[in-house]
Amino acid sequence: MKIAPEAVRSALVVRAGGPRRDCVVAVSVWIPASAVALVLPRWADLDPFSVRGAALPLAAGALLLALAVGAAVSLRRSRDAVSTVSSAAAGLLAAWVMLTLRSALYGTPYGFSPLDGDMGRMSAMATHYSVAWANGDPLAVGAPSEYPPLQPWLIGRAAALLGLEPWRLLGTAEMLFLSCAVVLSFTLWRRLVPAPVALAASAAGLVAFHEPAKAFVILTVAVFVPWVLQTLWTPPAGRLPWPLSGVVAGLILCTYLGPFMLGVFGLAALAAAALRRSGDRRGDVLHMMKVVAVAAAVSGWYLVPYAFVLLTRGGQTVQDLYVSAGMLAFPPPLGEVSLLGLLQATGLAGALWYRRTVWWAAPMLCLIGGLYLYWAVMAARFVLTGHTMFFHYVPRVLGPVLAICGVLALAQAGPALVRRLGRTPPHGLGTAALVMFTAWCGLTLGRAWMPNADRTAPNPAAVAHQQPFPDGRSPRFAAPEHMLSGFPAARVARAVGTKARPVTLSCDERLFAFLPWRAYLAVDRTAANSMARWDDRYAEVGRLAAVSDPGEFARRSAAMRHGSIDVFVLWDEGDVWSWKDLRFRPGQFGETAFTVTRGLPGGLVVAVRHGTGR
């Protein structure tokens, strides 16, 4: 696949010497502005559900935008000055992201959707890593983590260092990851395109997928797209050095596997196309091998135990049996008619139109085509086998890729269209377009991130304010009549009365979001670690539940295949105590082996083996 010579004269060619300076400007603005963003909501002390509280980030964003416009206008046509202002605006946008998320969560230590599904398990992993350094799954004792552990590991180690409960840091981590996503994306794109375009590309990728609970996904996708262009392709600015490229790849693998898994067909096509057009195939292959080697070294602490267990003991693939309504949605830009959909459609058309004339179009088209192919192939596989291979997550990567292509295509086509019309573009037209686009991005994000006023149908931010604490207290701005059901982790901990990490069979996974205990078996089969062999463990617990003699029950529960079950946290239904559809009897927990505590909030009963943790 050849790129025509006129591509060198593209509107997106970067001047030498500018990127490094602009990245320094962006980071230098971002750090102090983010510090202000973290304290401003506390200084204002506004209820995020109120109109004034919701207006805080919008007013701050409007003020920052006005300052940036004033600076751009006063500096007239100086290209270096416009580049500097755009870089400063990137730092301010990242700080504004921090401010908006902080405003949304002001009054609650929880993150977005704090104990719901994946976020409950993320909290459990962070709690596990607050007391353990090694890779492990808190919901399957004895199994290494299958989910990339870098984010929860960082949260857990930070909690241990600061002496805080890990679940209190998830919201802060989401703010930092999303804010960093803007800065890192701008930094990588700035090597490839001028600063205003890098700013717009970073904003477009964020708008295309902006779920704060998935901040680690947003960060990896924001870095992955420009990383691919500078690793498997050769842009005008040159490739990233292989050590840096390998480190970035390894960190992506430790944070979220999705871009590599969902983009596997596109990456293969891109690598093949790059080698076909290469003038030094041996050198390019060696470069790729070095990148892979460094990535493997960086991610080995996670991937090596994972691969070893799968190869030696095997696993039971149950995670991709989860069925979601999102599987019936068309991938972008076909999902909805909106400004974002129009931008994504423009990106698809632009990648096709410029595939032979502009350097970025061919590799982006490989990625886009590979993502569509993955969606189609795995959707067919799901119909035949019931296994999804997470094809419904394709929009998480495809949406940002198309939106970024839309920005690149418009930046490429705009000047060319003006030249064809034989007119001189009005002074400030590009600045006005960038301002309008940034304002639209800010309004879209602010509306999505702030808590909604309808507490009967709370969005993820509102849920963070309606989730009780483990001791039963409520967040500051909670509405008592709309509180969600909590989990009495503090009462369970007192009933067990140990500072050890007992292996526990709990009917509610929220226990592990608050306490650094180890689960014998996860409750949700479709969220279980495949290496934990959920079906085998479930069958083993089922056989244990059928043992009626209390002495034999005590002996067997202490000698399970993966160790002793020291604590049982079950639903108290009177004559039976249940875990999912398994039924235990009170008589099984004899006084000689267990201490039983009944009457806990939520209808829980706790049985603790004598001597646990003592």
Side-chain angles (χ1 to χ4, degrees):
M1 190 178 298
K2 295 183 178 180
I3 304 297
E6 57 265 29
V8 179
R9 297 191 296 273
S10 165
L12 304 185
V13 169
V14 179
R15 296 178 65 192
R20 183 173 300 177
R21 180 201 61 218
D22 290 344
C23 293
V24 171
V25 170
V27 174
S28 299
V29 171
W30 170 58
I31 292 175
S34 295
V36 174
L38 285 174
V39 300
L40 185 57
R42 174 172 292 183
W43 176 80
D45 196 29
L46 297 174
D47 181 349
F49 289 91
S50 69
V51 176
R52 289 180 65 202
L56 172 61
L58 296 179
L63 178 61
L64 294 175
L65 201 58
L67 292 174
V69 171
V73 171
S74 65
L75 293 172
R76 299 183 181 274
R77 290 179 177 271
S78 168
R79 180 174 294 183
D80 288 340
V82 170
S83 184
T84 300
V85 172
S86 299
S87 303
L92 291 175
L93 175 61
W96 179 85
V97 167
M98 181 88 73
L99 171 64
T100 306
L101 297 175
R102 181 71 179 96
S103 299
L105 297 178
Y106 179 64
T108 176
Y110 286 118
F112 290 78
S113 299
L115 302 179
D116 182 32
D118 287 346
M119 292 306 98
R121 285 178 282 279
M122 183 65 69
S123 182
M125 290 179 70
T127 300
H128 164 78
Y129 289 121
S130 69
V131 295
W133 287 84
N135 176 19
D137 188 342
L139 300 181
V141 61
S145 174
E146 183 168 32
Y147 207 84
L150 183 57
Q151 183 192 18
W153 187 89
L154 291 172
I155 296 171
R157 297 322 306 164
L161 180 65
L162 298 173
L164 297 174
E165 296 165 299
W167 57 271
R168 292 181 176 273
L169 294 181
L170 257 71
T172 303
E174 290 164 358
M175 299 174 205
L176 290 171
F177 269 55
L178 273 177
S179 187
C180 285
V182 177
V183 173
L184 291 177
S185 176
F186 175 82
T187 299
L188 288 172
W189 277 113
R190 183 61 190 95
R191 275 192 91 243
L192 304 174
V193 296
V197 181
L199 170 59
S202 301
L206 181 59
V207 169
F209 182 70
H210 52 258
E211 186 179 338
K214 301 293 184 180
F216 58 98
V217 176
I218 296 170
L219 177 62
T220 53
V221 173
V223 171
F224 174 78
V225 179
W227 171 85
V228 166
L229 297 180
Q230 298 175 79
T231 301
L232 298 182
W233 205 250
T234 306
R239 290 185 299 200
L240 288 173
W242 62 263
L244 176 59
S245 186
V247 169
V248 172
L251 293 176
I252 291 175
L253 289 169
C254 291
T255 307
Y256 182 57
L257 294 172
F260 286 102
M261 180 180 71
L262 304 174
V264 61
F265 296 142
L267 293 173
L270 181 53
L275 290 176
R276 188 165 59 249
R277 66 188 289 269
S278 172
D280 180 15
R281 293 184 181 179
R282 180 178 179 182
D284 286 346
V285 170
L286 183 61
H287 177 84
M288 292 181 187
M289 291 176 62
K290 290 178 180 178
V291 171
V292 171
V294 174
V298 171
S299 60
W301 66 283
Y302 154 56
L303 290 178
V304 169
Y306 181 15
F308 177 78
V309 172
L310 283 180
L311 292 173
T312 58
R313 289 188 285 176
Q316 293 169 331
T317 304
V318 293
Q319 282 190 330
D320 69 337
L321 293 173
Y322 175 74
V323 177
S324 166
M327 296 173 181
L328 301 178
F330 289 108
L334 303 175
E336 60 177 340
V337 178
S338 63
L339 288 176
L340 176 60
L342 179 60
L343 178 65
Q344 292 170 331
T346 302
L348 179 57
L352 288 167
W353 181 263
Y354 289 118
R355 68 188 185 279
R356 297 187 184 278
T357 57
V358 182
W359 72 265
W360 57 264
M364 291 293 261
L365 195 58
C366 286
L367 281 180
I368 292 168
L371 288 165
Y372 279 127
L373 179 61
Y374 187 93
W375 187 89
V377 170
M378 297 309 167
R381 183 177 186 268
F382 168 66
V383 172
L384 296 174
T385 68
H387 289 275
T388 69
M389 286 302 291
F390 306 103
F391 75 89
H392 52 297
Y393 289 163
V394 163
R396 293 181 176 183
V397 182
L398 179 59
V401 169
L402 289 174
I404 291 169
C405 280
V407 168
L408 299 178
L410 290 173
Q412 184 73 38
L417 180 61
V418 171
R419 287 194 300 269
R420 176 162 294 189
L421 294 175
R423 299 190 175 205
T424 301
H427 175 56
L429 180 61
T431 300
L434 182 59
V435 168
M436 292 293 292
F437 181 75
T438 306
W440 170 70
C441 292
L443 289 172
T444 301
L445 296 173
R447 219 171 18 241
W449 288 344
M450 292 301 292
N452 59 342
D454 183 6
R455 296 185 187 246
T456 60
N459 66 357
V463 168
H465 292 271
Q466 296 181 198
Q467 182 68 51
F469 297 153
D471 60 2
R473 293 180 300 114
S474 301
R476 177 182 173 186
F477 298 110
E481 66 275 18
H482 295 298
M483 289 298 293
L484 302 174
S485 62
F487 183 82
R491 291 285 303 275
V492 172
R494 286 200 299 270
V496 174
T498 175
K499 294 183 179 180
R501 302 183 62 208
V503 177
T504 305
L505 183 70
S506 175
C507 60
D508 194 321
E509 288 182 5
R510 290 180 293 178
L511 167 73
F512 307 102
F514 297 118
L515 300 174
W517 298 354
R518 297 163 294 174
Y520 191 80
L521 179 61
V523 175
D524 187 349
R525 179 175 183 255
T526 59
N529 187 332
S530 65
M531 296 176 290
R533 305 186 67 87
W534 193 94
D535 291 341
D536 290 350
R537 294 195 189 207
Y538 175 81
E540 187 182 24
V541 174
R543 290 190 292 270
L544 175 66
V547 176
S548 58
D549 179 72
E552 180 65 12
F553 182 89
R555 186 189 67 79
R556 287 200 186 184
S557 61
M560 303 288 280
R561 181 178 178 183
H562 299 280
S564 171
I565 299 180
D566 304 311
V567 176
F568 292 80
V569 180
L570 309 171
W571 298 119
D572 189 346
E573 300 176 11
D575 292 338
V576 297
W577 299 344
S578 63
W579 184 89
K580 287 183 72 69
D581 59 343
L582 300 180
R583 300 292 182 264
F584 293 87
R585 302 285 177 178
Q588 293 172 298
F589 299 89
E591 295 181 357
T592 59
F594 292 93
T595 298
V596 174
T597 303
R598 303 184 71 169
L600 270 67
L604 295 174
V605 58
V606 176
V608 184
R609 185 183 305 279
H610 291 171
T612 295
R614 303 182 191 283

